[in-house]
Amino acid sequence: MLEAASDLMAERGYEATTMAEIAARAGAKIGSLYRFFPNKEAVADALVQRHIAVLEDEYAALAKRAATLSPEALADVLIELLVTLYPRVKSLSALMEARTDRMEIRERARGHAIAGIAAALRVCAPGLGEMLAKDISAVVLNTMKVLRGMLSKDAPTMPGAPDELRRMHRLYLADRLEPFRRTLDSITEAEP
């Protein structure tokens, strides 16, 4: 039922989605839906919790992999994460736009994303400070949003623009992270 709700909210928006439509899309009786969720807000709350859990899991897995990645490879993995993650959390944007508590939801989701990306950056570049990692993470997150927009069917863009943005993303992370990777390497090499 949550998958049906997520699909509908992503397609039509939170406000336009009804409990009856969710039940119909899920192939369930409306009474079954109300048995688990007393109203649409309860469905939305469950979706937000689910989306945040997915984000936390994916960013934790990314942080584990980051130690073995170059900054350029990390940039590619982050882009790939966006592409594979978006279908699993597609209604999060609709929920953030429509809910009365959207600022709290937006800040929670954004906070998890920035913390997850920052953790991966700091694993890839151990000398990187926490605040700078968060600043770079905000840039990465916004770049990923722009790329998602470019990849959508209705976005006005040129065919080669997504590849150029990926290249820019790689160059940016290499430029920002490489000095902090060398710092740790040079300290390790200098020790007797």
Side-chain angles (χ1 to χ4, degrees):
M1 286 190 259
L2 284 177
E3 192 62 37
S6 182
D7 289 345
L8 281 166
M9 289 179 191
E11 292 165 17
R12 304 189 65 227
Y14 172 77
E15 297 297 333
T17 300
T18 66
M19 293 290 277
E21 290 172 322
I22 294 169
R25 175 76 63 98
K29 295 184 189 263
I30 191 78
S32 297
L33 179 60
Y34 278 110
R35 183 171 162 219
F36 295 103
F37 305 101
N39 53 44
K40 189 167 65 170
E41 289 76 25
V43 173
D45 289 343
L47 280 172
V48 168
Q49 292 301 321
R50 183 174 126 185
H51 293 334
I52 287 177
V54 166
L55 292 172
E56 287 175 344
D57 290 346
E58 290 295 333
Y59 287 123
L62 174 63
K64 288 180 184 174
R65 283 185 64 196
T68 64
L69 300 173
S70 68
E72 294 88 349
L74 180 59
D76 290 339
V77 168
L78 284 165
I79 295 295
E80 184 61 31
L81 177 64
L82 166 75
V83 171
T84 59
L85 193 58
Y86 179 71
R88 295 172 53 201
V89 296
K90 60 187 165 229
S91 65
L92 188 57
S93 294
L95 291 167
M96 289 191 305
E97 294 300 319
R99 297 284 305 274
T100 56
D101 59 348
R102 67 182 175 261
M103 288 309 291
E104 178 196 337
I105 294 168
R106 181 176 289 131
E107 288 307 311
R108 246 176 83 202
R110 180 174 159 70
H112 284 288
I114 287 180
I117 294 168
L121 296 177
R122 293 188 74 202
V123 169
C124 182
L128 184 64
E130 185 177 347
M131 287 309 299
L132 183 55
K134 286 181 179 180
D135 289 343
I136 294 170
S137 297
V139 171
V140 167
L141 186 60
N142 284 302
T143 302
M144 292 167 69
K145 288 178 186 177
V146 169
L147 181 62
R148 188 183 75 206
M150 285 181 164
L151 296 174
S152 74
K153 296 176 193 166
D154 301 327
T157 189
M158 299 300 296
D163 288 335
E164 290 300 314
L165 187 61
R166 284 185 184 96
R167 178 172 162 63
M168 183 184 81
H169 188 62
R170 282 186 209 107
L171 292 169
Y172 172 71
L173 281 185
D175 178 67
R176 299 304 289 144
L177 299 185
E178 207 54 56
F180 298 101
R181 290 170 57 88
R182 282 190 297 246
T183 301
L184 191 64
D185 291 341
S186 62
I187 291 169
T188 305
E189 290 171 8
E191 292 178 358

PDB file of all heavy atoms in Angstrom, residues 3 11 18 49-50 52 56 66 86 93 95 106 124 140 160 162 172 187-188 191:
ATOM      1  N   GLU A   3       3.772   1.564  -1.363  1.00  0.00           N
ATOM      2  CA  GLU A   3       4.330   1.740  -2.717  1.00  0.00           C
ATOM      3  C   GLU A   3       3.313   2.430  -3.616  1.00  0.00           C
ATOM      4  O   GLU A   3       3.650   3.330  -4.382  1.00  0.00           O
ATOM      5  CB  GLU A   3       4.757   0.396  -3.293  1.00  0.00           C
ATOM      6  CG  GLU A   3       5.595   0.504  -4.534  1.00  0.00           C
ATOM      7  CD  GLU A   3       6.916   1.223  -4.297  1.00  0.00           C
ATOM      8  OE1 GLU A   3       7.531   1.052  -3.239  1.00  0.00           O
ATOM      9  OE2 GLU A   3       7.333   1.984  -5.188  1.00  0.00           O
ATOM     10  N   GLU A  11       3.256  11.113  -8.713  1.00  0.00           N
ATOM     11  CA  GLU A  11       2.591  11.455  -9.978  1.00  0.00           C
ATOM     12  C   GLU A  11       1.669  12.662  -9.848  1.00  0.00           C
ATOM     13  O   GLU A  11       1.670  13.543 -10.707  1.00  0.00           O
ATOM     14  CB  GLU A  11       1.740  10.272 -10.464  1.00  0.00           C
ATOM     15  CG  GLU A  11       2.519   9.066 -10.891  1.00  0.00           C
ATOM     16  CD  GLU A  11       1.645   7.816 -11.007  1.00  0.00           C
ATOM     17  OE1 GLU A  11       0.392   7.951 -11.062  1.00  0.00           O
ATOM     18  OE2 GLU A  11       2.207   6.710 -11.037  1.00  0.00           O
ATOM     19  N   THR A  18      -5.928  10.645  -3.089  1.00  0.00           N
ATOM     20  CA  THR A  18      -6.956  10.288  -2.109  1.00  0.00           C
ATOM     21  C   THR A  18      -6.707   8.886  -1.563  1.00  0.00           C
ATOM     22  O   THR A  18      -6.017   8.074  -2.195  1.00  0.00           O
ATOM     23  CB  THR A  18      -8.366  10.322  -2.737  1.00  0.00           C
ATOM     24  OG1 THR A  18      -8.462   9.281  -3.721  1.00  0.00           O
ATOM     25  CG2 THR A  18      -8.663  11.686  -3.380  1.00  0.00           C
ATOM     26  N   GLN A  49       9.059   8.310   6.971  1.00  0.00           N
ATOM     27  CA  GLN A  49       9.917   7.446   7.790  1.00  0.00           C
ATOM     28  C   GLN A  49      10.639   6.420   6.916  1.00  0.00           C
ATOM     29  O   GLN A  49      11.828   6.165   7.088  1.00  0.00           O
ATOM     30  CB  GLN A  49       9.097   6.734   8.867  1.00  0.00           C
ATOM     31  CG  GLN A  49       8.558   7.654   9.928  1.00  0.00           C
ATOM     32  CD  GLN A  49       9.658   8.407  10.656  1.00  0.00           C
ATOM     33  OE1 GLN A  49      10.713   7.875  10.950  1.00  0.00           O
ATOM     34  NE2 GLN A  49       9.419   9.676  10.931  1.00  0.00           N
ATOM     35  N   ARG A  50       9.907   5.836   5.991  1.00  0.00           N
ATOM     36  CA  ARG A  50      10.496   4.842   5.082  1.00  0.00           C
ATOM     37  C   ARG A  50      11.579   5.466   4.211  1.00  0.00           C
ATOM     38  O   ARG A  50      12.666   4.906   4.050  1.00  0.00           O
ATOM     39  CB  ARG A  50       9.391   4.234   4.225  1.00  0.00           C
ATOM     40  CG  ARG A  50       9.869   3.149   3.295  1.00  0.00           C
ATOM     41  CD  ARG A  50       8.687   2.521   2.616  1.00  0.00           C
ATOM     42  NE  ARG A  50       8.911   2.570   1.189  1.00  0.00           N
ATOM     43  CZ  ARG A  50       8.039   2.205   0.288  1.00  0.00           C
ATOM     44  NH1 ARG A  50       6.860   1.785   0.644  1.00  0.00           N
ATOM     45  NH2 ARG A  50       8.331   2.245  -0.974  1.00  0.00           N
ATOM     46  N   ILE A  52      13.383   8.171   4.755  1.00  0.00           N
ATOM     47  CA  ILE A  52      14.554   8.545   5.549  1.00  0.00           C
ATOM     48  C   ILE A  52      15.366   7.309   5.920  1.00  0.00           C
ATOM     49  O   ILE A  52      16.597   7.331   5.880  1.00  0.00           O
ATOM     50  CB  ILE A  52      14.141   9.387   6.770  1.00  0.00           C
ATOM     51  CG1 ILE A  52      13.739  10.778   6.262  1.00  0.00           C
ATOM     52  CG2 ILE A  52      15.258   9.467   7.799  1.00  0.00           C
ATOM     53  CD1 ILE A  52      13.235  11.723   7.312  1.00  0.00           C
ATOM     54  N   GLU A  56      19.259   6.769   4.969  1.00  0.00           N
ATOM     55  CA  GLU A  56      20.280   6.438   5.971  1.00  0.00           C
ATOM     56  C   GLU A  56      21.042   5.175   5.589  1.00  0.00           C
ATOM     57  O   GLU A  56      22.271   5.134   5.696  1.00  0.00           O
ATOM     58  CB  GLU A  56      19.629   6.260   7.344  1.00  0.00           C
ATOM     59  CG  GLU A  56      19.191   7.551   7.977  1.00  0.00           C
ATOM     60  CD  GLU A  56      18.438   7.355   9.284  1.00  0.00           C
ATOM     61  OE1 GLU A  56      17.984   6.232   9.574  1.00  0.00           O
ATOM     62  OE2 GLU A  56      18.313   8.350  10.021  1.00  0.00           O
ATOM     63  N   ALA A  66      33.583   4.414   0.468  1.00  0.00           N
ATOM     64  CA  ALA A  66      34.323   5.626   0.105  1.00  0.00           C
ATOM     65  C   ALA A  66      35.825   5.525   0.330  1.00  0.00           C
ATOM     66  O   ALA A  66      36.601   6.169  -0.375  1.00  0.00           O
ATOM     67  CB  ALA A  66      33.755   6.829   0.857  1.00  0.00           C
ATOM     68  N   TYR A  86      16.465   7.541  -6.443  1.00  0.00           N
ATOM     69  CA  TYR A  86      15.282   8.354  -6.717  1.00  0.00           C
ATOM     70  C   TYR A  86      13.993   7.534  -6.849  1.00  0.00           C
ATOM     71  O   TYR A  86      12.984   7.894  -6.228  1.00  0.00           O
ATOM     72  CB  TYR A  86      15.489   9.239  -7.953  1.00  0.00           C
ATOM     73  CG  TYR A  86      14.267  10.054  -8.265  1.00  0.00           C
ATOM     74  CD1 TYR A  86      13.904  11.116  -7.441  1.00  0.00           C
ATOM     75  CD2 TYR A  86      13.446   9.744  -9.339  1.00  0.00           C
ATOM     76  CE1 TYR A  86      12.766  11.856  -7.701  1.00  0.00           C
ATOM     77  CE2 TYR A  86      12.305  10.472  -9.602  1.00  0.00           C
ATOM     78  CZ  TYR A  86      11.970  11.526  -8.780  1.00  0.00           C
ATOM     79  OH  TYR A  86      10.837  12.246  -9.027  1.00  0.00           O
ATOM     80  N   SER A  93       9.763  14.299  -2.516  1.00  0.00           N
ATOM     81  CA  SER A  93       9.651  15.679  -3.016  1.00  0.00           C
ATOM     82  C   SER A  93       8.220  16.175  -2.921  1.00  0.00           C
ATOM     83  O   SER A  93       7.971  17.300  -2.474  1.00  0.00           O
ATOM     84  CB  SER A  93      10.126  15.776  -4.466  1.00  0.00           C
ATOM     85  OG  SER A  93      11.488  15.515  -4.546  1.00  0.00           O
ATOM     86  N   LEU A  95       5.902  15.126  -0.930  1.00  0.00           N
ATOM     87  CA  LEU A  95       5.551  15.276   0.484  1.00  0.00           C
ATOM     88  C   LEU A  95       6.148  16.547   1.067  1.00  0.00           C
ATOM     89  O   LEU A  95       5.517  17.240   1.854  1.00  0.00           O
ATOM     90  CB  LEU A  95       6.020  14.053   1.277  1.00  0.00           C
ATOM     91  CG  LEU A  95       5.260  12.764   0.985  1.00  0.00           C
ATOM     92  CD1 LEU A  95       5.994  11.576   1.570  1.00  0.00           C
ATOM     93  CD2 LEU A  95       3.843  12.842   1.515  1.00  0.00           C
ATOM     94  N   ARG A 106      11.641  18.593   5.206  1.00  0.00           N
ATOM     95  CA  ARG A 106      12.710  19.001   4.284  1.00  0.00           C
ATOM     96  C   ARG A 106      14.043  19.077   5.014  1.00  0.00           C
ATOM     97  O   ARG A 106      15.056  18.583   4.535  1.00  0.00           O
ATOM     98  CB  ARG A 106      12.365  20.342   3.648  1.00  0.00           C
ATOM     99  CG  ARG A 106      13.423  20.821   2.664  1.00  0.00           C
ATOM    100  CD  ARG A 106      13.019  22.104   1.981  1.00  0.00           C
ATOM    101  NE  ARG A 106      11.945  21.840   1.053  1.00  0.00           N
ATOM    102  CZ  ARG A 106      10.819  22.543   0.989  1.00  0.00           C
ATOM    103  NH1 ARG A 106      10.620  23.560   1.785  1.00  0.00           N
ATOM    104  NH2 ARG A 106       9.898  22.247   0.100  1.00  0.00           N
ATOM    105  N   CYS A 124      36.705   9.304   2.281  1.00  0.00           N
ATOM    106  CA  CYS A 124      37.527   9.389   1.067  1.00  0.00           C
ATOM    107  C   CYS A 124      38.717  10.330   1.276  1.00  0.00           C
ATOM    108  O   CYS A 124      39.803  10.073   0.764  1.00  0.00           O
ATOM    109  CB  CYS A 124      36.659   9.873  -0.094  1.00  0.00           C
ATOM    110  SG  CYS A 124      37.506   9.969  -1.674  1.00  0.00           S
ATOM    111  N   VAL A 140      27.316  19.267  -3.566  1.00  0.00           N
ATOM    112  CA  VAL A 140      27.095  17.969  -4.228  1.00  0.00           C
ATOM    113  C   VAL A 140      25.609  17.660  -4.300  1.00  0.00           C
ATOM    114  O   VAL A 140      25.094  17.255  -5.359  1.00  0.00           O
ATOM    115  CB  VAL A 140      27.856  16.840  -3.483  1.00  0.00           C
ATOM    116  CG1 VAL A 140      27.408  15.470  -3.943  1.00  0.00           C
ATOM    117  CG2 VAL A 140      29.356  17.011  -3.676  1.00  0.00           C
ATOM    118  N   GLY A 160      23.888  16.773 -24.444  1.00  0.00           N
ATOM    119  CA  GLY A 160      25.184  16.524 -23.822  1.00  0.00           C
ATOM    120  C   GLY A 160      25.349  17.159 -22.446  1.00  0.00           C
ATOM    121  O   GLY A 160      26.344  16.919 -21.759  1.00  0.00           O
ATOM    122  N   PRO A 162      23.884  16.668 -19.417  1.00  0.00           N
ATOM    123  CA  PRO A 162      24.081  15.808 -18.238  1.00  0.00           C
ATOM    124  C   PRO A 162      25.503  15.261 -18.126  1.00  0.00           C
ATOM    125  O   PRO A 162      26.064  15.210 -17.030  1.00  0.00           O
ATOM    126  CB  PRO A 162      23.055  14.685 -18.432  1.00  0.00           C
ATOM    127  CG  PRO A 162      21.974  15.314 -19.244  1.00  0.00           C
ATOM    128  CD  PRO A 162      22.707  16.248 -20.180  1.00  0.00           C
ATOM    129  N   TYR A 172      35.095  18.924  -9.618  1.00  0.00           N
ATOM    130  CA  TYR A 172      34.887  19.644  -8.364  1.00  0.00           C
ATOM    131  C   TYR A 172      35.331  18.796  -7.177  1.00  0.00           C
ATOM    132  O   TYR A 172      36.092  19.257  -6.323  1.00  0.00           O
ATOM    133  CB  TYR A 172      33.412  20.043  -8.227  1.00  0.00           C
ATOM    134  CG  TYR A 172      33.087  20.625  -6.868  1.00  0.00           C
ATOM    135  CD1 TYR A 172      33.552  21.889  -6.513  1.00  0.00           C
ATOM    136  CD2 TYR A 172      32.334  19.913  -5.945  1.00  0.00           C
ATOM    137  CE1 TYR A 172      33.272  22.428  -5.257  1.00  0.00           C
ATOM    138  CE2 TYR A 172      32.055  20.447  -4.690  1.00  0.00           C
ATOM    139  CZ  TYR A 172      32.519  21.700  -4.355  1.00  0.00           C
ATOM    140  OH  TYR A 172      32.255  22.223  -3.120  1.00  0.00           O
ATOM    141  N   ILE A 187      51.537  12.454   5.826  1.00  0.00           N
ATOM    142  CA  ILE A 187      51.822  12.247   7.248  1.00  0.00           C
ATOM    143  C   ILE A 187      52.216  10.782   7.472  1.00  0.00           C
ATOM    144  O   ILE A 187      53.179  10.488   8.166  1.00  0.00           O
ATOM    145  CB  ILE A 187      50.609  12.631   8.122  1.00  0.00           C
ATOM    146  CG1 ILE A 187      50.413  14.143   8.082  1.00  0.00           C
ATOM    147  CG2 ILE A 187      50.769  12.142   9.556  1.00  0.00           C
ATOM    148  CD1 ILE A 187      49.107  14.616   8.686  1.00  0.00           C
ATOM    149  N   THR A 188      51.480   9.882   6.864  1.00  0.00           N
ATOM    150  CA  THR A 188      51.742   8.457   7.022  1.00  0.00           C
ATOM    151  C   THR A 188      53.123   8.094   6.444  1.00  0.00           C
ATOM    152  O   THR A 188      53.877   7.336   7.040  1.00  0.00           O
ATOM    153  CB  THR A 188      50.652   7.605   6.330  1.00  0.00           C
ATOM    154  OG1 THR A 188      49.394   8.010   6.851  1.00  0.00           O
ATOM    155  CG2 THR A 188      50.842   6.133   6.569  1.00  0.00           C
ATOM    156  N   GLU A 191      56.185   9.319   8.640  1.00  0.00           N
ATOM    157  CA  GLU A 191      56.457   8.623   9.911  1.00  0.00           C
ATOM    158  C   GLU A 191      57.461   7.505   9.688  1.00  0.00           C
ATOM    159  O   GLU A 191      57.419   6.806   8.687  1.00  0.00           O
ATOM    160  CB  GLU A 191      55.158   8.046  10.479  1.00  0.00           C
ATOM    161  CG  GLU A 191      54.189   9.128  10.943  1.00  0.00           C
ATOM    162  CD  GLU A 191      52.889   8.551  11.463  1.00  0.00           C
ATOM    163  OE1 GLU A 191      52.718   7.320  11.434  1.00  0.00           O
ATOM    164  OE2 GLU A 191      52.025   9.340  11.873  1.00  0.00           O
TER     165      GLU A 191
END
